[in-house]
Amino acid sequence: MSQYPPPGNFGEYPPPPPPGGYPPPGGQPPQQYWQESPKGKGLAVTALVLGIIAVVTFWTVILTVVGVFFGLLAAIFGLIAMMKARRGTSGGFGMAVAGLILGLLGLIGGIVVGILVWVVFKDNGGTDLVDCLNKAGNDKAAQQQCQNDFQQRIEDKFSVTPTPVPTR
């Protein structure tokens, strides 16, 4: 027989197979002895999904905040899932790592895009527009004048005339 006795049973032969059936092929132990119980991967899946959403949304100027928020959540869930997987209380270590990496990319990318948008806004008179609108208060004519001045500044700086919004 080519199968060695299990450790600890010195000089003893392995137990006979259960009656009524054939032993598994290749001398492998029955499935009930080596099958692990399934471990939850919920946190790892959550980290991965949030990381993907963070990477997809941080590119757009409007959704930069969403990308930063989901990136932060993905990084937190990814770290927690990695620690649980290392302890052996859950599964999905690879998904947790991927979620952590994507979350960090979304977080850092969103911060960089946000800073770039703020710099462009500030360099093109956006802060002047905000100050003018704050001074105008509820006066619609003053608010319109602030918007017209800002639009004229953009047209002069970039030599571009924005297309007017169609009216009905």
Side-chain angles (χ1 to χ4, degrees), residues 127-145:
T127 53
D128 295 336
L129 173 66
V130 171
D131 290 341
C132 183
L133 289 173
N134 284 336
K135 289 177 185 173
N138 292 332
D139 185 9
K140 296 292 182 191
Q143 290 175 355
Q144 186 62 42
Q145 184 61 39

Side-chain angles (χ1 to χ4, degrees), residues 17-23:
Y22 294 102

Side-chain angles (χ1 to χ4, degrees), residues 1-2 10 18-19 24 36 52 59 67 72 76 85 90 102 113 120 122-123 125 134-135 138 153 163:
M1 194 169 195
S2 65
F10 298 109
E36 287 186 31
I52 291 170
W59 293 100
L72 182 64
I76 291 170
S90 70
L102 290 174
V113 168
V120 169
K122 185 178 175 187
D123 286 348
N134 284 336
K135 289 177 185 173
N138 292 332
R153 177 183 281 175
T163 306

Side-chain angles (χ1 to χ4, degrees), residues 17-18 32-33 37 45 48 50-51 85 89 91 116 127 131 142 148 150 160:
Q32 64 207 27
Y33 294 120
S37 61
V45 171
L48 184 61
L50 289 174
T89 59
L116 289 175
T127 53
D131 290 341
N148 291 341
F150 179 71
V160 174

